[in-house]
Amino acid sequence: MILHLIRHPPPRVAQDVCYGAMDVPAEPAAVFAAALRADLLPGLPLWSSPLQRCHELAAALHPVPIFDERLREMDFGTWEGRRWVDIPRAELDAWAADVDGYVPPGGESARQLQRRVLDFVAMLAVSEAVLITHAGVIRSLYAHVNGRSIADCLDVRPAFGSRTTLVLA
C-alpha cells in the first residue's frame, strides 16, 4: 500500500504552546492545496484528521474527504494549550526518558498514537491513498515502516503542507 501523508498547513498558535489534540485553526489552505494538487494523482481516496488544521486542506483537495479520529495528533492531556515552559520539568524529563511509552497526564503515549494509526491503516482496503494529518502521525508511520522506535525518529519533522510517501508491505 502506498500512503501519501500530508502535514497540515501552519497552525495559528504561538510557537511555545503545546498543541496536539487541541483543535486550532491553520493558515489558509489554498496555496498548499494548489501545489499538492499538481503533485498527486487525481482520484485517489483521501482520509483526514478531523481537526480544523487538516479539515480545510482535505476539503480543498478532494470533493468527498473522509474524516477519521484515528488520524488526529497525539493527545497531550493536561499539557494541551500550555506554554512548554509552564509544564512541570519532572513531567518533561519523564517524557524525554521514555518518548514512546510516557503518557502525559490525561493524554496518550506516542506508542498509543502509533497503535491507533496502525489500526486505521489496517482497515484500509486500497492500494494507494492520501492522508491529511499531523507530524506525530507521520513520524509514527515512518518509524513503523522502517522498524525503528518513535524515539529514534524524532528527527523526522515534515514541513507544514509537505507530502511524505511511504510504502507499507
Side-chain angles (χ1 to χ4, degrees):
M1 176 186 320
I2 300 169
L3 294 179
H4 303 283
L5 309 168
I6 298 173
R7 187 175 182 197
H8 58 78
R12 290 184 173 166
V13 64
Q15 289 183 353
D16 66 342
V17 170
C18 175
Y19 68 95
M22 189 169 87
D23 201 8
V24 298
E27 296 298 323
V31 172
F32 296 97
L36 290 163
R37 209 177 287 114
D39 197 33
L40 292 169
L41 291 173
L44 289 177
L46 185 146
W47 282 267
S48 175
S49 162
L51 297 179
Q52 62 182 314
R53 56 191 187 265
C54 294
H55 194 282
E56 184 183 350
L57 182 57
L61 287 174
H62 198 278
V64 188
I66 302 165
F67 298 97
D68 196 295
E69 285 288 328
R70 293 170 291 183
L71 294 175
R72 65 179 166 69
E73 183 60 282
M74 185 172 148
D75 185 345
F76 287 100
T78 62
W79 296 1
E80 296 278 346
R82 293 172 69 186
R83 293 177 46 225
W84 286 103
V85 297
D86 295 333
I87 297 169
R89 185 78 227 165
E91 292 176 15
L92 292 174
D93 289 345
W95 183 35
D98 182 12
V99 170
D100 288 18
Y102 180 77
V103 179
E108 69 181 330
S109 71
R111 192 175 297 118
Q112 289 169 320
L113 160 71
Q114 187 179 53
R115 266 190 242 121
R116 75 170 149 82
V117 171
L118 292 174
D119 286 346
F120 168 82
V121 169
M123 73 87 197
L124 289 177
V126 297
S127 59
E128 190 169 2
V130 176
L131 307 181
I132 310 297
T133 192
H134 310 271
V137 171
I138 296 168
R139 185 179 299 115
S140 72
L141 284 169
Y142 180 90
H144 173 75
V145 165
N146 290 286
R148 297 169 59 191
S149 72
I150 298 162
D152 288 340
C153 295
L154 295 178
D155 60 334
V156 175
R157 296 178 183 200
F160 293 113
S162 69
R163 178 180 66 138
T164 302
T165 299
L166 295 176
V167 178
L168 282 77

